[in-house]
Amino acid sequence: MKIPQLIYSAIFAAMTLSCSSSEVLDFVVTDNVVNPSYIGNGVEWDPYDEADSWGAPVSDDDWAKLFSRLDYMRPQYVRCMINSPFRYYDTTTGKYDKKANTESLCKLLQYCTDNDITVIYGEYNPPVWDMKNDPKWVDMAVDYLNMLVVEKGFSCIKYFVIFNEPDGDWASTNGDFELWCSMAKKFHTKMEQYPGLIEKVKLAGPDVVADYHNKNSELNTAGWLVETVKNVDSIIGLYDIHAYPGQAEVLSGNYSGLLSEYKSLIPEGKQIVLGEAGYKYWREADSLLMKEYNRRVEGHPFTKGSDCNMLVYDYFYGIDMAILATEVMNCGFSGVAAWMLDDAMHSQGDSGKPEDIKLWGMWNILGEEVFNDPSQEDIRPWFYSWSLMCRYFPRGCDIVKIDYKEDPDIFACAANYDGKYSIAIINKGDKDKDISVRFPQQNESLTVFRYEEDNLQLDDNGFLAPEEQGIVGDRFSTGLSPLSMILVTQIK
């Protein structure tokens, strides 16, 4: 057992009392819809803005590797953000060139278009911070958006984000809601001036960080949502926020209350997603994990730890992220994008320095070319659990209620997609569970996947293979080991 696994077990042995392993937990999947028309789960996949500056643009072989992995994952939506100085804006001359350096962005968007993936596209910040309220930025950014959507036909782009995390003291807006609001109106007005654009793309916002309050602003996260609804709801097509909770906070079950609170602030008929999501360990309850994080960062050759998660290498991170997804689905949010797909997407501050990357991914596709470590290109375990949460909770499904006896060690969610069902059940405790699942209808071909450390069944391509398939009937029973996940599905 790896060191973080020991930490994990110690934390939750103290937090919870597991049910006896002799008790069978019955899960009855119902037709009672608790969250309709789910957009889906996916990833942040940014177009390798800095790869050229590292002297290693993504090769054809690496694109093929990426596409193969994404074919397996089947992300239902992708958040894709650009930095304009790496794309259309020359900071030296101040010139706009929409044809400059489009290759990697176009490859990414073509894949999403071909695979019917919903994309939330946007810009992290204006080309230079002094342009945060400059109409010139609005003109350039919307013209570039129109080029992608209308001229090039990337119909995957459904939503447009301006300013990443505008509530943050790290953003050019520095928590200024009035500035963000006025710019949202200006962007919307400019989008209306391009024939057909506003019908294809809506604004997403406010893109703020859950459970954060900038000292320079009167508004916390809830305040930003309330003021966005009050001032610009008519031009917001999708509400989105970011979430970086602590592990203890989520696994205790307490995080659902915060998500439900945010959802309650959104007008009926509108949807809200987590545009970015991952775990951070700065809270006191996660101090043991933070200690391990710091140990790994010290002397690391390509991250200083200023913005990374050194525990994404570990099996348990796949359990934690799957649990977060169940909370998102059960609490009325319409999707969650994991931050992030690939370490090779960003350096800290997008400085172009490969010695301090944002190490958060499921792999680093430039591990060999830039970082002299081919093993970084290998799939990390959490790819497997996250792929299950993407593949078998497809866009348009309804999240449905599960009837089962509450157990502090168990997280579960279920969906109905065109009369076929999926259920994910996670045991985060330290004792075995016996479980039984019953579906609303007979089934002719049930498939079972299991995410369990040291028991990952992989196919010839290195992807998670079914444990069982072709099961007939409306019931399924099995055991569920500590710190493991099972997904049972009728969906192909």
Side-chain angles (χ1 to χ4, degrees), residues 28-52:
V28 179
V29 179
T30 75
D31 282 322
N32 182 7
V33 176
V34 296
N35 187 1
S37 302
Y38 196 66
I39 292 174
N41 302 318
V43 291
E44 177 93 17
W45 186 22
D46 296 339
Y48 306 97
D49 282 347
E50 297 173 76
D52 282 338

PDB file of all heavy atoms in Angstrom, residues 28-52:
ATOM      1  N   VAL A  28     -31.754   0.428  -5.072  1.00  0.00           N
ATOM      2  CA  VAL A  28     -32.875   0.332  -6.001  1.00  0.00           C
ATOM      3  C   VAL A  28     -32.882   1.585  -6.874  1.00  0.00           C
ATOM      4  O   VAL A  28     -33.130   2.702  -6.396  1.00  0.00           O
ATOM      5  CB  VAL A  28     -34.217   0.203  -5.257  1.00  0.00           C
ATOM      6  CG1 VAL A  28     -35.368   0.121  -6.256  1.00  0.00           C
ATOM      7  CG2 VAL A  28     -34.195  -1.019  -4.349  1.00  0.00           C
ATOM      8  N   VAL A  29     -32.563   1.412  -8.145  1.00  0.00           N
ATOM      9  CA  VAL A  29     -32.563   2.529  -9.092  1.00  0.00           C
ATOM     10  C   VAL A  29     -34.004   2.824  -9.482  1.00  0.00           C
ATOM     11  O   VAL A  29     -34.739   1.925  -9.914  1.00  0.00           O
ATOM     12  CB  VAL A  29     -31.729   2.193 -10.334  1.00  0.00           C
ATOM     13  CG1 VAL A  29     -31.744   3.357 -11.322  1.00  0.00           C
ATOM     14  CG2 VAL A  29     -30.300   1.840  -9.945  1.00  0.00           C
ATOM     15  N   THR A  30     -34.423   4.063  -9.329  1.00  0.00           N
ATOM     16  CA  THR A  30     -35.806   4.437  -9.614  1.00  0.00           C
ATOM     17  C   THR A  30     -35.907   5.266 -10.890  1.00  0.00           C
ATOM     18  O   THR A  30     -34.891   5.661 -11.476  1.00  0.00           O
ATOM     19  CB  THR A  30     -36.413   5.246  -8.450  1.00  0.00           C
ATOM     20  OG1 THR A  30     -35.876   6.589  -8.483  1.00  0.00           O
ATOM     21  CG2 THR A  30     -36.084   4.604  -7.107  1.00  0.00           C
ATOM     22  N   ASP A  31     -37.142   5.581 -11.273  1.00  0.00           N
ATOM     23  CA  ASP A  31     -37.395   6.493 -12.393  1.00  0.00           C
ATOM     24  C   ASP A  31     -37.677   7.910 -11.917  1.00  0.00           C
ATOM     25  O   ASP A  31     -38.086   8.761 -12.711  1.00  0.00           O
ATOM     26  CB  ASP A  31     -38.582   5.987 -13.221  1.00  0.00           C
ATOM     27  CG  ASP A  31     -38.200   4.836 -14.139  1.00  0.00           C
ATOM     28  OD1 ASP A  31     -37.091   4.878 -14.694  1.00  0.00           O
ATOM     29  OD2 ASP A  31     -38.997   3.890 -14.289  1.00  0.00           O
ATOM     30  N   ASN A  32     -37.420   8.175 -10.658  1.00  0.00           N
ATOM     31  CA  ASN A  32     -37.673   9.493 -10.078  1.00  0.00           C
ATOM     32  C   ASN A  32     -36.523  10.435 -10.449  1.00  0.00           C
ATOM     33  O   ASN A  32     -35.422  10.323  -9.916  1.00  0.00           O
ATOM     34  CB  ASN A  32     -37.801   9.372  -8.561  1.00  0.00           C
ATOM     35  CG  ASN A  32     -38.113  10.697  -7.898  1.00  0.00           C
ATOM     36  OD1 ASN A  32     -38.360  11.698  -8.558  1.00  0.00           O
ATOM     37  ND2 ASN A  32     -38.094  10.704  -6.573  1.00  0.00           N
ATOM     38  N   VAL A  33     -36.779  11.352 -11.366  1.00  0.00           N
ATOM     39  CA  VAL A  33     -35.733  12.247 -11.877  1.00  0.00           C
ATOM     40  C   VAL A  33     -35.424  13.329 -10.848  1.00  0.00           C
ATOM     41  O   VAL A  33     -36.321  14.055 -10.391  1.00  0.00           O
ATOM     42  CB  VAL A  33     -36.159  12.889 -13.212  1.00  0.00           C
ATOM     43  CG1 VAL A  33     -35.104  13.887 -13.695  1.00  0.00           C
ATOM     44  CG2 VAL A  33     -36.395  11.814 -14.268  1.00  0.00           C
ATOM     45  N   VAL A  34     -34.150  13.454 -10.489  1.00  0.00           N
ATOM     46  CA  VAL A  34     -33.726  14.492  -9.549  1.00  0.00           C
ATOM     47  C   VAL A  34     -32.915  15.581 -10.240  1.00  0.00           C
ATOM     48  O   VAL A  34     -32.702  16.656  -9.668  1.00  0.00           O
ATOM     49  CB  VAL A  34     -32.915  13.883  -8.381  1.00  0.00           C
ATOM     50  CG1 VAL A  34     -33.786  12.939  -7.568  1.00  0.00           C
ATOM     51  CG2 VAL A  34     -31.656  13.172  -8.874  1.00  0.00           C
ATOM     52  N   ASN A  35     -32.480  15.325 -11.464  1.00  0.00           N
ATOM     53  CA  ASN A  35     -31.641  16.294 -12.178  1.00  0.00           C
ATOM     54  C   ASN A  35     -31.754  16.000 -13.676  1.00  0.00           C
ATOM     55  O   ASN A  35     -31.030  15.159 -14.200  1.00  0.00           O
ATOM     56  CB  ASN A  35     -30.188  16.173 -11.698  1.00  0.00           C
ATOM     57  CG  ASN A  35     -29.276  17.252 -12.270  1.00  0.00           C
ATOM     58  OD1 ASN A  35     -29.698  18.123 -13.024  1.00  0.00           O
ATOM     59  ND2 ASN A  35     -28.000  17.184 -11.908  1.00  0.00           N
ATOM     60  N   PRO A  36     -32.647  16.686 -14.386  1.00  0.00           N
ATOM     61  CA  PRO A  36     -32.901  16.342 -15.789  1.00  0.00           C
ATOM     62  C   PRO A  36     -31.876  16.919 -16.758  1.00  0.00           C
ATOM     63  O   PRO A  36     -31.192  17.898 -16.466  1.00  0.00           O
ATOM     64  CB  PRO A  36     -34.280  16.967 -16.042  1.00  0.00           C
ATOM     65  CG  PRO A  36     -34.325  18.145 -15.117  1.00  0.00           C
ATOM     66  CD  PRO A  36     -33.555  17.732 -13.881  1.00  0.00           C
ATOM     67  N   SER A  37     -31.774  16.283 -17.913  1.00  0.00           N
ATOM     68  CA  SER A  37     -31.003  16.799 -19.058  1.00  0.00           C
ATOM     69  C   SER A  37     -29.580  17.168 -18.684  1.00  0.00           C
ATOM     70  O   SER A  37     -29.113  18.286 -18.927  1.00  0.00           O
ATOM     71  CB  SER A  37     -31.726  18.006 -19.674  1.00  0.00           C
ATOM     72  OG  SER A  37     -33.024  17.663 -20.090  1.00  0.00           O
ATOM     73  N   TYR A  38     -28.886  16.206 -18.125  1.00  0.00           N
ATOM     74  CA  TYR A  38     -27.505  16.417 -17.697  1.00  0.00           C
ATOM     75  C   TYR A  38     -26.614  16.707 -18.906  1.00  0.00           C
ATOM     76  O   TYR A  38     -26.701  16.023 -19.932  1.00  0.00           O
ATOM     77  CB  TYR A  38     -27.020  15.167 -16.964  1.00  0.00           C
ATOM     78  CG  TYR A  38     -25.786  15.352 -16.136  1.00  0.00           C
ATOM     79  CD1 TYR A  38     -25.794  16.166 -15.008  1.00  0.00           C
ATOM     80  CD2 TYR A  38     -24.604  14.685 -16.462  1.00  0.00           C
ATOM     81  CE1 TYR A  38     -24.653  16.322 -14.228  1.00  0.00           C
ATOM     82  CE2 TYR A  38     -23.462  14.827 -15.672  1.00  0.00           C
ATOM     83  CZ  TYR A  38     -23.499  15.656 -14.568  1.00  0.00           C
ATOM     84  OH  TYR A  38     -22.371  15.811 -13.801  1.00  0.00           O
ATOM     85  N   ILE A  39     -25.775  17.728 -18.798  1.00  0.00           N
ATOM     86  CA  ILE A  39     -24.865  18.069 -19.901  1.00  0.00           C
ATOM     87  C   ILE A  39     -23.744  17.041 -20.008  1.00  0.00           C
ATOM     88  O   ILE A  39     -23.341  16.654 -21.104  1.00  0.00           O
ATOM     89  CB  ILE A  39     -24.295  19.488 -19.714  1.00  0.00           C
ATOM     90  CG1 ILE A  39     -25.420  20.527 -19.891  1.00  0.00           C
ATOM     91  CG2 ILE A  39     -23.167  19.759 -20.711  1.00  0.00           C
ATOM     92  CD1 ILE A  39     -24.993  21.950 -19.583  1.00  0.00           C
ATOM     93  N   GLY A  40     -23.243  16.579 -18.862  1.00  0.00           N
ATOM     94  CA  GLY A  40     -22.220  15.541 -18.889  1.00  0.00           C
ATOM     95  C   GLY A  40     -20.951  15.929 -18.170  1.00  0.00           C
ATOM     96  O   GLY A  40     -20.732  17.093 -17.825  1.00  0.00           O
ATOM     97  N   ASN A  41     -20.102  14.943 -17.962  1.00  0.00           N
ATOM     98  CA  ASN A  41     -18.807  15.153 -17.320  1.00  0.00           C
ATOM     99  C   ASN A  41     -17.705  15.170 -18.372  1.00  0.00           C
ATOM    100  O   ASN A  41     -17.821  14.541 -19.419  1.00  0.00           O
ATOM    101  CB  ASN A  41     -18.555  14.044 -16.297  1.00  0.00           C
ATOM    102  CG  ASN A  41     -19.642  13.991 -15.251  1.00  0.00           C
ATOM    103  OD1 ASN A  41     -20.096  15.031 -14.770  1.00  0.00           O
ATOM    104  ND2 ASN A  41     -20.074  12.792 -14.897  1.00  0.00           N
ATOM    105  N   GLY A  42     -16.636  15.883 -18.083  1.00  0.00           N
ATOM    106  CA  GLY A  42     -15.561  16.004 -19.061  1.00  0.00           C
ATOM    107  C   GLY A  42     -14.281  16.515 -18.445  1.00  0.00           C
ATOM    108  O   GLY A  42     -13.996  16.249 -17.272  1.00  0.00           O
ATOM    109  N   VAL A  43     -13.523  17.264 -19.221  1.00  0.00           N
ATOM    110  CA  VAL A  43     -12.197  17.697 -18.797  1.00  0.00           C
ATOM    111  C   VAL A  43     -11.889  19.099 -19.304  1.00  0.00           C
ATOM    112  O   VAL A  43     -12.472  19.572 -20.280  1.00  0.00           O
ATOM    113  CB  VAL A  43     -11.093  16.750 -19.331  1.00  0.00           C
ATOM    114  CG1 VAL A  43     -11.162  15.402 -18.647  1.00  0.00           C
ATOM    115  CG2 VAL A  43     -11.182  16.598 -20.852  1.00  0.00           C
ATOM    116  N   GLU A  44     -10.975  19.751 -18.618  1.00  0.00           N
ATOM    117  CA  GLU A  44     -10.322  20.942 -19.161  1.00  0.00           C
ATOM    118  C   GLU A  44      -9.244  20.459 -20.120  1.00  0.00           C
ATOM    119  O   GLU A  44      -8.329  19.721 -19.746  1.00  0.00           O
ATOM    120  CB  GLU A  44      -9.688  21.764 -18.045  1.00  0.00           C
ATOM    121  CG  GLU A  44      -8.919  22.988 -18.529  1.00  0.00           C
ATOM    122  CD  GLU A  44      -9.746  24.260 -18.549  1.00  0.00           C
ATOM    123  OE1 GLU A  44     -10.806  24.279 -17.900  1.00  0.00           O
ATOM    124  OE2 GLU A  44      -9.320  25.225 -19.199  1.00  0.00           O
ATOM    125  N   TRP A  45      -9.377  20.876 -21.382  1.00  0.00           N
ATOM    126  CA  TRP A  45      -8.406  20.481 -22.414  1.00  0.00           C
ATOM    127  C   TRP A  45      -8.030  21.721 -23.194  1.00  0.00           C
ATOM    128  O   TRP A  45      -8.740  22.148 -24.089  1.00  0.00           O
ATOM    129  CB  TRP A  45      -9.018  19.412 -23.329  1.00  0.00           C
ATOM    130  CG  TRP A  45      -8.066  18.829 -24.339  1.00  0.00           C
ATOM    131  CD1 TRP A  45      -6.711  18.796 -24.294  1.00  0.00           C
ATOM    132  CD2 TRP A  45      -8.440  18.173 -25.558  1.00  0.00           C
ATOM    133  NE1 TRP A  45      -6.202  18.171 -25.398  1.00  0.00           N
ATOM    134  CE2 TRP A  45      -7.246  17.769 -26.196  1.00  0.00           C
ATOM    135  CE3 TRP A  45      -9.664  17.873 -26.173  1.00  0.00           C
ATOM    136  CZ2 TRP A  45      -7.240  17.107 -27.425  1.00  0.00           C
ATOM    137  CZ3 TRP A  45      -9.665  17.214 -27.393  1.00  0.00           C
ATOM    138  CH2 TRP A  45      -8.470  16.829 -28.004  1.00  0.00           C
ATOM    139  N   ASP A  46      -6.924  22.344 -22.821  1.00  0.00           N
ATOM    140  CA  ASP A  46      -6.466  23.569 -23.463  1.00  0.00           C
ATOM    141  C   ASP A  46      -5.445  23.231 -24.537  1.00  0.00           C
ATOM    142  O   ASP A  46      -4.752  22.207 -24.461  1.00  0.00           O
ATOM    143  CB  ASP A  46      -5.877  24.520 -22.426  1.00  0.00           C
ATOM    144  CG  ASP A  46      -6.915  24.991 -21.409  1.00  0.00           C
ATOM    145  OD1 ASP A  46      -8.116  24.911 -21.719  1.00  0.00           O
ATOM    146  OD2 ASP A  46      -6.535  25.423 -20.308  1.00  0.00           O
ATOM    147  N   PRO A  47      -5.311  24.091 -25.559  1.00  0.00           N
ATOM    148  CA  PRO A  47      -4.632  23.696 -26.802  1.00  0.00           C
ATOM    149  C   PRO A  47      -3.112  23.856 -26.827  1.00  0.00           C
ATOM    150  O   PRO A  47      -2.544  24.257 -27.838  1.00  0.00           O
ATOM    151  CB  PRO A  47      -5.295  24.603 -27.832  1.00  0.00           C
ATOM    152  CG  PRO A  47      -5.615  25.843 -27.083  1.00  0.00           C
ATOM    153  CD  PRO A  47      -5.995  25.400 -25.702  1.00  0.00           C
ATOM    154  N   TYR A  48      -2.452  23.554 -25.718  1.00  0.00           N
ATOM    155  CA  TYR A  48      -0.984  23.493 -25.708  1.00  0.00           C
ATOM    156  C   TYR A  48      -0.366  24.794 -26.223  1.00  0.00           C
ATOM    157  O   TYR A  48       0.508  24.803 -27.084  1.00  0.00           O
ATOM    158  CB  TYR A  48      -0.507  22.281 -26.517  1.00  0.00           C
ATOM    159  CG  TYR A  48      -1.142  20.996 -26.040  1.00  0.00           C
ATOM    160  CD1 TYR A  48      -2.268  20.479 -26.679  1.00  0.00           C
ATOM    161  CD2 TYR A  48      -0.649  20.323 -24.930  1.00  0.00           C
ATOM    162  CE1 TYR A  48      -2.883  19.318 -26.217  1.00  0.00           C
ATOM    163  CE2 TYR A  48      -1.261  19.153 -24.461  1.00  0.00           C
ATOM    164  CZ  TYR A  48      -2.370  18.663 -25.117  1.00  0.00           C
ATOM    165  OH  TYR A  48      -2.983  17.517 -24.660  1.00  0.00           O
ATOM    166  N   ASP A  49      -0.842  25.909 -25.629  1.00  0.00           N
ATOM    167  CA  ASP A  49      -0.376  27.230 -26.049  1.00  0.00           C
ATOM    168  C   ASP A  49       1.141  27.373 -25.989  1.00  0.00           C
ATOM    169  O   ASP A  49       1.750  28.073 -26.796  1.00  0.00           O
ATOM    170  CB  ASP A  49      -1.015  28.304 -25.161  1.00  0.00           C
ATOM    171  CG  ASP A  49      -2.464  28.604 -25.534  1.00  0.00           C
ATOM    172  OD1 ASP A  49      -2.895  28.174 -26.613  1.00  0.00           O
ATOM    173  OD2 ASP A  49      -3.156  29.267 -24.741  1.00  0.00           O
ATOM    174  N   GLU A  50       1.772  26.731 -25.010  1.00  0.00           N
ATOM    175  CA  GLU A  50       3.200  26.972 -24.770  1.00  0.00           C
ATOM    176  C   GLU A  50       4.128  25.964 -25.447  1.00  0.00           C
ATOM    177  O   GLU A  50       5.348  26.098 -25.362  1.00  0.00           O
ATOM    178  CB  GLU A  50       3.454  26.978 -23.265  1.00  0.00           C
ATOM    179  CG  GLU A  50       2.716  28.099 -22.558  1.00  0.00           C
ATOM    180  CD  GLU A  50       2.837  27.999 -21.056  1.00  0.00           C
ATOM    181  OE1 GLU A  50       3.916  28.338 -20.525  1.00  0.00           O
ATOM    182  OE2 GLU A  50       1.862  27.584 -20.402  1.00  0.00           O
ATOM    183  N   ALA A  51       3.553  24.954 -26.085  1.00  0.00           N
ATOM    184  CA  ALA A  51       4.389  23.887 -26.641  1.00  0.00           C
ATOM    185  C   ALA A  51       5.406  24.412 -27.660  1.00  0.00           C
ATOM    186  O   ALA A  51       6.553  23.968 -27.693  1.00  0.00           O
ATOM    187  CB  ALA A  51       3.510  22.809 -27.276  1.00  0.00           C
ATOM    188  N   ASP A  52       4.973  25.358 -28.486  1.00  0.00           N
ATOM    189  CA  ASP A  52       5.903  25.913 -29.478  1.00  0.00           C
ATOM    190  C   ASP A  52       7.086  26.610 -28.807  1.00  0.00           C
ATOM    191  O   ASP A  52       8.228  26.489 -29.253  1.00  0.00           O
ATOM    192  CB  ASP A  52       5.174  26.892 -30.399  1.00  0.00           C
ATOM    193  CG  ASP A  52       4.350  26.177 -31.457  1.00  0.00           C
ATOM    194  OD1 ASP A  52       4.657  25.011 -31.749  1.00  0.00           O
ATOM    195  OD2 ASP A  52       3.397  26.780 -31.972  1.00  0.00           O
TER     196      ASP A  52
END
